[in-house]
């Protein structure tokens, strides 16, 4: 079964032999996601976080430092990895922002490591709920990718 919104989203549900449970898949056209702009005022405060590379969970706090700039800090529960940094929205009409962060105690690294990359606002439970943030960064040796969701 499935639904298709030609401009934004395709949502599919698979049920069948070989699957233990129902599998839901959600696709949003990259161009449509980028063109819909970004509003991050709902992301101020505490958030649930997952390291998309290791699967480790944690928490991130986000607060505004300027009209289009935010600082954040967080940690991952199992490893004790911590991180802090900032992200800037170059143009709020487009859903993309620049992310810079520093990690400490993450992976095999001794000391801290600097990462840079991009991020974007994403939907979590329904179209246009904008409750998720992706931070996709690298230090040119390995990725550091965070999925951050608002708990409301």
């Amino acid at each position: 079964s499935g639904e298709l919104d030609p401009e934004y989203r395709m949502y599919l549900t698979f049920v069948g032999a070989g699957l233990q449970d129902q599998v839901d898949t959600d696709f949003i056209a990259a161009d449509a996601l980028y063109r819909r702009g970004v509003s991050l005022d709902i992301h101020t405060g505490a958030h649930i976080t997952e390291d998309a590379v290791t699967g480790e969970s944690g928490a991130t706090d986000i607060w505004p430092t300027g009209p289009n700039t935010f600082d954040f800090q967080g940690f991952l529960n199992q490893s004790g990895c911590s991180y802090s940094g900032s992200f800037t929205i170059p143009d709020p009409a487009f859903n993309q922002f620049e992310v810079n962060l520093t990690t400490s105690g993450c992976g095999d690294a001794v000391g801290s490591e600097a990462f840079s990359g991009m991020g974007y606002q994403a939907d979590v439970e329904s179209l246009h709920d904008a409750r998720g943030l992706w931070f996709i960064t690298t230090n040119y040796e390995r990725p550091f990718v965070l999925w951050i969701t608002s708990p409301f």
Side-chain angles (χ1 to χ4, degrees):
S1 69
E3 297 175 28
L4 179 62
D5 180 336
E7 187 174 351
Y8 289 107
R9 182 178 219 165
M10 180 172 54
Y11 184 79
L12 302 171
T13 301
F14 301 98
V15 180
L19 298 175
Q20 290 182 332
D21 295 315
Q22 174 177 309
V23 176
D24 296 321
T25 305
D26 197 359
F27 299 97
I28 298 176
D31 187 51
L33 185 63
Y34 174 70
R35 284 185 292 118
R36 75 179 191 188
V38 62
S39 173
L40 294 172
D41 55 330
I42 64 169
H43 288 285
T44 298
H47 300 76
I48 301 163
T49 304
E50 180 180 340
D51 180 332
V53 176
T54 66
E56 212 175 328
S57 62
T60 301
D61 288 321
I62 299 174
W63 61 95
T65 55
N68 293 329
T69 305
F70 295 78
D71 282 352
F72 62 91
Q73 65 182 15
F75 63 90
L76 300 174
N77 295 323
Q78 292 85 358
S79 67
C81 168
S82 63
Y83 50 87
S84 62
S86 65
F87 60 98
T88 302
I89 306 164
D91 184 344
F94 299 101
N95 185 10
Q96 183 174 344
F97 38 89
E98 300 165 358
V99 179
N100 293 290
L101 62 91
T102 302
T103 64
S104 180
C106 301
D108 296 333
V110 175
S112 62
E113 293 182 287
F115 289 78
S116 62
M118 56 85 61
Y120 63 94
Q121 190 173 39
D123 300 328
V124 177
E125 294 181 357
S126 62
L127 187 60
H128 297 294
D129 73 4
R131 289 183 35 221
L133 297 175
W134 279 104
F135 289 176
I136 305 164
T137 65
T138 182
N139 65 357
Y140 301 101
E141 292 180 16
R142 65 184 184 91
F144 191 75
V145 181
L146 296 174
W147 170 235
I148 302 169
T149 57
S150 297
F152 63 87

